[in-house]
């Protein structure tokens, strides 16, 4: 009997686009039998040193723990673009994963990345690459999206071979387009299938 695999979808979402993408990735994950999507987020960073975030967010996915990361079979990592880089809250969490790096807990697990930006040339690909770097240090196996996904050729908004992306608009008003949804679904399905193969 095939063991149920778990794909962790870990993200930071400020205006909701990344959270919407995470939901589409989860749909792709759960389209593969014996696979469960686990949605998790990271706490925002406060500019006030004394501020303490509640241990559970008011809405949305629960905050991630190192145990979530350690026990997953695959990972989808998402962040809005911040000057061509991942958002600080996600980077802050990743910088606290040294114990997993020392133990090799993530070595050999498949991983993919996704992002959203306000403008078409807002650093989507560099943001995706910035998220890949710590995953490579952890020994994870990075997967993108192959050009057999026809939406990569036809999209007029988001979508890259490095991972799904979304064009949110200057006021973050744009909803996910159909091709962006399909590319998110494709990444989730791909990660789930790889989790079973590996």
């Amino acid at each position: 009997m095939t063991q149920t695999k778990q794909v962790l979808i870990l993200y930071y979402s400020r205006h909701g686009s990344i959270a919407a993408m995470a939901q589409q990735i989860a749909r792709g994950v759960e389209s593969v039998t014996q696979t469960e999507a686990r949605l998790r987020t990271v706490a925002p960073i406060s500019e006030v040193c004394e501020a303490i975030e509640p241990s559970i967010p008011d809405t949305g996915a629960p905050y991630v723990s190192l145990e979530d990361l350690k026990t997953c079979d695959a990972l989808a990592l998402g962040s809005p673009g911040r000057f061509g880089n991942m958002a600080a809250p996600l980077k802050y969490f990743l910088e606290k994963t040294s114990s997993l790096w020392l133990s090799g807990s993530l070595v050999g697990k498949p991983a993919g990345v996704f992002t959203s930006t306000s403008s078409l040339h807002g650093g989507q690909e560099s943001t995706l690459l910035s998220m890949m770097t710590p995953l490579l240090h952890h020994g994870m196996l990075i997967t993108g999206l192959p050009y057999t996904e026809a939406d990569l050729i036809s999209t007029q908004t988001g979508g890259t071979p490095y991972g799904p992306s979304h064009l949110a608009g200057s006021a973050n008003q744009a909803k996910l387009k159909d091709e962006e949804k399909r590319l998110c679904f494709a990444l989730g399905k791909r990660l789930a299938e790889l989790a079973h193969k590996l």
Side-chain angles (χ1 to χ4, degrees), residues 73-179:
D73 297 296
L75 172 68
L77 189 66
S79 172
R82 294 291 184 262
F83 301 103
N85 206 328
M86 76 178 94
L90 189 61
K91 188 173 186 293
Y92 180 73
F93 172 76
L94 290 172
E95 288 178 356
K96 297 189 299 181
T97 61
S98 296
S99 62
L100 300 182
W101 175 74
L102 286 167
S103 66
S105 298
L106 303 179
V107 172
K109 294 181 181 184
V113 292
F114 59 104
T115 193
S116 174
T117 58
S118 297
S119 64
L120 184 58
H121 300 290
Q124 290 185 352
E125 292 178 349
S126 61
T127 299
L128 294 169
L129 290 168
S130 77
M131 288 187 283
M132 290 179 190
T133 304
L135 304 183
L136 287 166
H137 277 260
H138 275 290
M140 300 191 86
L141 306 175
I142 306 298
T143 182
L145 291 169
Y147 274 96
T148 50
E149 296 296 334
D151 287 309
L152 284 179
I153 301 292
S154 62
T155 182
Q156 296 293 304
T157 55
T160 80
Y162 304 102
S165 62
H166 168 60
L167 177 57
S170 59
N172 297 294
Q173 76 283 5
K175 302 294 182 199
L176 294 180
K177 300 287 190 269
D178 289 343
E179 62 269 22

Side-chain angles (χ1 to χ4, degrees), residues 3-9 25-40 68 71-75 188 191-192 195-196:
Q3 180 185 3
T4 298
K5 299 290 184 178
Q6 187 177 96
V7 178
L8 176 62
I9 304 169
I25 292 168
R27 288 183 60 242
V29 166
E30 294 190 345
S31 73
V32 177
T33 58
Q34 296 290 102
T35 315
E36 173 189 325
R38 175 174 280 190
L39 292 158
R40 293 290 184 267
D68 288 323
T71 59
C72 75
D73 297 296
L75 172 68
L191 286 169
H196 284 282

Side-chain angles (χ1 to χ4, degrees), residues 11-23 116 166 172 174 176:
Y11 65 90
Y12 174 70
S13 187
R14 179 85 186 271
H15 298 289
S17 295
I18 293 293
M21 293 178 79
Q23 291 291 333
S116 174
H166 168 60
N172 297 294
L176 294 180

